[in-house]
Amino acid sequence: MANRDADRDAEFTDDFALAGTPDAFQRLWTPHRLAYVSKGQGQVTDEASCPFCAAPQRDDETSLIVTRGITCYVVMNLYPYNPGHLLVCPYRHIPDYTDLTVEETAEFAQLTQIGMEVLRDVSNAAGFNLGMNQGNAGGAGIAVHLHQHIVPRWGGDGNFLPIIAQTKNVTGTIGDMRQIIADAWESGAHRFREQQARTVNEREA
């Protein structure tokens, strides 16, 4: 009976269905993402459960905060697309870009500009992806609290690893990158303000 059953298995089973058969995917062990992916958008429902509201209440190193402004702050992305991936967040728990006040909008934009300046300095970034995903339908990971991505890019970073091998190479730890960017922030902000002043003077001349 057992032999007959084994013979019939061949009628319904092929090599691709067998456990351990190689496929096209590389598997990266990321258990730290379980808390995020297991609950999705439902895990953040109000200010009490919002990580962007909680982060400023802790010290910078614990929360991965790079710098604090008056109305907004800059934090490392816990799940970076590239080394140095930053998020600019308002302190207020608001979901939409149109909810920002004029003052918040100005600082939100300025912190983004300084972040780009600093990333060019510390990692020789050749380009950037800037973006805000608005709402669940817009692909926001946490839709209830506005945040803007600053993703540094380099020539050739879209090579065979992510495109063919489906593997992303992130070359720096988040903690180390936070410290490097935080240490360079003031000098980057100073250069940015000097450039702004020169631009104003040139316009008035």
Side-chain angles (χ1 to χ4, degrees):
M1 182 62 143
N3 288 338
R4 285 201 303 272
D5 289 344
D7 292 339
R8 286 183 57 80
D9 282 347
E11 298 177 24
F12 306 103
T13 306
D14 58 36
D15 290 341
F16 294 100
L18 297 177
T21 299
D23 55 33
F25 294 97
Q26 298 291 329
R27 290 166 177 80
L28 302 181
W29 178 242
T30 56
H32 60 282
R33 288 185 60 89
L34 180 61
Y36 177 77
V37 301
S38 63
K39 298 179 182 178
Q41 291 283 353
Q43 68 182 312
V44 182
T45 57
D46 52 24
E47 294 183 42
S49 58
C50 177
F52 295 137
C53 289
Q57 308 306 317
R58 300 187 294 262
D59 66 272
D60 290 356
E61 186 175 358
T62 300
S63 290
L64 298 175
I65 290 175
V66 171
T67 191
R68 298 173 188 250
I70 297 172
T71 66
C72 304
Y73 69 97
V74 181
V75 64
M76 303 296 295
N77 189 337
L78 190 58
Y79 310 111
Y81 298 147
N82 268 339
H85 183 168
L86 301 175
L87 301 175
V88 182
C89 307
Y91 292 117
R92 286 199 304 133
H93 186 72
I94 53 176
D96 200 86
Y97 186 56
T98 60
D99 294 325
L100 290 173
T101 66
V102 172
E103 180 186 12
E104 287 169 334
T105 301
E107 186 169 44
F108 194 83
Q110 186 176 88
L111 289 173
T112 301
Q113 292 172 309
I114 296 173
M116 293 170 63
E117 180 75 24
V118 172
L119 287 169
R120 286 192 181 105
D121 178 42
V122 302
S123 62
N124 199 31
F128 297 90
N129 293 121
L130 306 178
M132 291 174 278
N133 299 320
Q134 296 281 267
N136 294 342
I142 298 177
V144 295
H145 196 127
L146 178 68
H147 54 282
Q148 174 162 268
H149 297 261
I150 308 175
V151 183
R153 300 299 303 269
W154 297 269
D157 68 0
N159 57 27
F160 78 93
L161 273 173
I163 295 172
I164 297 176
Q166 301 179 18
T167 301
K168 187 68 177 177
N169 182 27
V170 180
T171 56
T173 68
I174 297 175
D176 287 348
M177 288 303 299
R178 188 210 73 83
Q179 191 63 58
I180 291 169
I181 295 169
D183 289 345
W185 192 271
E186 282 306 315
S187 60
H190 181 70
R191 288 194 306 274
F192 172 77
R193 295 187 184 104
E194 283 188 333
Q195 175 60 41
Q196 292 291 304
R198 285 195 297 270
T199 300
V200 171
N201 291 335
E202 289 171 0
R203 287 181 176 177
E204 293 177 348

